[in-house]
Amino acid sequence: MTVYDFPVGPYPTRVRIAIAEKKLQAQVQFKMVDLYKGEHKTPEFIAQKNYSGTLPVLELHDGTLIAECTAITQYFDTLDGAPSLTGTTPLQQGIIHMMSKRAEIELLDAISVYFHHGTPGLGPSVELYQNPEWGFRQRDKAIRGMHYFDTVLQHQPFIAGAEFSMADITVIGGLVFAAIVKLEIPAECRALLAWYERMKQRESVITQPAFSS
Amino acid sequence: MTVYDFPVGPYPTRVRIAIAEKKLQAQVQFKMVDLYKGEHKTPEFIAQKNYSGTLPVLELHDGTLIAECTAITQYFDTLDGAPSLTGTTPLQQGIIHMMSKRAEIELLDAISVYFHHGTPGLGPSVELYQNPEWGFRQRDKAIRGMHYFDTVLQHQPFIAGAEFSMADITVIGGLVFAAIVKLEIPAECRALLAWYERMKQRESVITQPAFSS
């Protein structure tokens, strides 16, 4: 299988962590798509790999393409049940999907919009339209999101409850992106900060290029 | 189980269709939350039901809350396998989740942003901040999305392949919202229009309040 990838990118990092958690590294090759050159926005990439022009994208042996981190994670997770990243009961699946989506809306995607609209983003040749006011609002939303996830983590060890899951990976993606745009986790978010330190002790997380500096 | 609902809302309609497809109507009661009165944005609703301040939200017998249409659908679908809305093989699950997410990004969520930012939306007492320029860009993105899904449907009977799935429901949600904001499906999108006529022949779809006029 091939993953179209930008190794330090927050979204590709989500799928990289999922692959490492599932111990599927030997079955996957990574192919670099240079975001800063806009290679994900070329007509060819959009027509042939992903209509939405985003990374990562998984390509199976027969050429089938699966885009979107949640979908790729769902695919890997259903291939092989252990460890489960998306839950094994209806309740777990519902909660994990909810919390992962919430982490996108309230944190990761919000920071992505801030990056592309409120900062130089990928540079003037890629960022052909920017709406800074929208970007700044999304930055503020992401800060509120950090406080929300801090509150969640005051009551449970992981984002979706008692076990590590896809929802933790999504929040990790959000905090990877926060570091790129220099958005600090507020010091009072002690539960979130402590959780992030625990996450960085996982081999699947700390071995990712996003964490090497 | 209780679903916090606004009966004609595009997102609530997604969960209503899923419930009807799964024949779970007798197990669910709907509780109205009036979007036009901003009841979904009150501090109480946000603190007690859904941090993101959106509908629908599913509340289980024990008080557990599941927000986000995809998560609620995943919950219902895992409760009872037939008919499957989210797929039974890894490949189906991956493709259905991808296409549903794509339908959110490229169609439904884009129209939602247009509604809230490029039109009066829910009215001045609810829409406390609007960014019309961003709204209009999302409207244009949604029109492009209609052309994309038209192309998809030129090659296969349903949004995610050979079977009806959650991804079809998400596109239906998008077209329900398109009608609310008077965004017409371009006449040249014949495959999309024909698919939508077929969707409206499903009892789970046509019996929804969004389709009674």
Side-chain angles (χ1 to χ4, degrees):
Chain A
M1 298 182 279
T2 301
V3 171
Y4 295 93
D5 177 51
F6 188 73
V8 298
Y11 292 83
T13 296
R14 290 166 71 188
V15 160
R16 287 176 150 269
I17 293 171
I19 289 168
E21 288 283 335
K22 304 296 288 185
K23 306 213 184 304
L24 290 166
Q25 293 98 324
Q27 296 179 47
V28 176
Q29 60 162 331
F30 292 95
K31 221 178 245 183
M32 167 86 160
V33 176
D34 194 334
L35 298 178
Y36 284 87
K37 289 184 182 158
E39 291 177 356
H40 58 310
K41 299 295 185 196
T42 63
E44 295 71 28
F45 186 84
I46 285 171
Q48 292 164 20
K49 303 302 179 190
N50 180 7
Y51 172 76
S52 294
T54 57
L55 293 180
V57 181
L58 173 67
E59 186 167 302
L60 307 181
H61 302 287
D62 67 356
T64 301
L65 293 153
I66 305 179
E68 300 303 332
C69 295
T70 305
I72 297 169
T73 305
Q74 190 77 30
Y75 173 78
F76 286 138
D77 215 34
T78 318
L79 272 185
D80 170 357
S84 172
L85 297 175
T86 59
T88 53
T89 67
L91 188 60
Q92 284 174 358
Q93 293 209 1
I95 299 288
I96 290 168
H97 273 277
M98 169 177 69
M99 293 305 282
S100 182
K101 184 74 191 280
R102 190 170 284 171
E104 291 179 348
I105 296 171
E106 307 294 345
L107 187 68
L108 173 56
D109 292 355
I111 295 175
S112 176
V113 171
Y114 169 55
F115 173 73
H116 292 293
H117 290 275
T119 83
L122 296 170
S125 64
V126 181
E127 309 292 359
L128 301 178
Y129 166 77
Q130 293 195 300
N131 189 320
E133 183 182 305
W134 185 251
F136 298 140
R137 285 197 61 100
Q138 296 293 311
R139 175 198 59 197
D140 297 347
K141 180 180 183 174
I143 295 286
R144 289 195 300 277
M146 289 178 184
H147 285 279
Y148 166 74
F149 287 110
D150 180 65
T151 305
V152 168
L153 291 164
Q154 289 168 19
H155 303 287
Q156 58 193 40
F158 297 98
I159 297 294
E163 307 281 350
F164 179 83
S165 76
M166 176 170 73
D168 294 282
I169 298 176
T170 309
V171 176
I172 293 168
L175 297 184
V176 163
F177 218 154
I180 292 171
V181 298
K182 302 192 194 324
L183 204 61
E184 272 192 44
I185 305 172
E188 63 266 34
C189 292
R190 284 187 298 208
L192 180 62
L193 284 161
W195 166 90
Y196 200 30
E197 286 310 308
R198 280 193 289 122
M199 292 303 102
K200 287 191 254 183
Q201 286 165 22
R202 294 180 86 90
E203 205 194 325
S204 65
V205 175
I206 200 63
T207 54
Q208 298 310 327
F211 290 94
S212 64
S213 57
Chain B
M1 298 181 278
T2 301
V3 172
Y4 295 92
D5 178 52
F6 189 73
V8 298
Y11 292 82
T13 296
R14 290 166 71 187
V15 160
R16 287 177 151 270
I17 294 171
I19 288 168
E21 288 283 335
K22 303 297 287 185
K23 305 213 183 305
L24 290 166
Q25 294 98 324
Q27 296 178 47
V28 176
Q29 59 162 334
F30 292 95
K31 220 177 246 183
M32 167 86 160
V33 176
D34 194 334
L35 298 178
Y36 283 87
K37 291 185 181 157
E39 291 177 354
H40 58 311
K41 299 295 184 196
T42 64
E44 294 72 28
F45 187 84
I46 285 171
Q48 292 164 20
K49 303 303 179 189
N50 180 8
Y51 172 77
S52 294
T54 56
L55 293 180
V57 181
L58 173 67
E59 186 167 302
L60 306 182
H61 302 287
D62 66 357
T64 301
L65 294 153
I66 305 178
E68 300 304 332
C69 294
T70 305
I72 297 169
T73 304
Q74 190 77 29
Y75 174 78
F76 286 139
D77 215 34
T78 318
L79 273 185
D80 170 357
S84 172
L85 297 175
T86 59
T88 53
T89 67
L91 188 60
Q92 284 173 358
Q93 293 207 1
I95 298 288
I96 290 169
H97 273 277
M98 168 178 70
M99 293 305 281
S100 182
K101 184 75 191 278
R102 190 171 284 171
E104 290 178 349
I105 296 171
E106 306 293 346
L107 187 68
L108 173 56
D109 292 355
I111 295 175
S112 176
V113 172
Y114 170 55
F115 173 72
H116 292 293
H117 290 275
T119 82
L122 296 171
S125 63
V126 182
E127 308 292 358
L128 301 178
Y129 167 75
Q130 294 195 299
N131 189 319
E133 183 182 304
W134 184 253
F136 298 140
R137 286 196 61 100
Q138 295 293 312
R139 175 198 59 197
D140 297 348
K141 179 180 185 175
I143 294 286
R144 289 195 300 277
M146 289 179 185
H147 285 279
Y148 166 74
F149 287 109
D150 180 66
T151 305
V152 168
L153 290 164
Q154 287 168 20
H155 303 287
Q156 58 193 39
F158 297 97
I159 298 293
E163 307 282 349
F164 179 83
S165 77
M166 176 170 72
D168 295 282
I169 298 175
T170 310
V171 176
I172 292 168
L175 298 184
V176 163
F177 219 154
I180 291 171
V181 298
K182 301 194 192 326
L183 204 61
E184 271 192 43
I185 304 172
E188 63 267 34
C189 292
R190 284 189 298 211
L192 180 62
L193 285 161
W195 165 90
Y196 200 31
E197 287 311 308
R198 279 194 290 122
M199 292 302 102
K200 286 191 255 183
Q201 286 164 23
R202 295 179 85 91
E203 204 194 324
S204 66
V205 175
I206 200 62
T207 54
Q208 298 309 328
F211 291 95
S212 63
S213 58

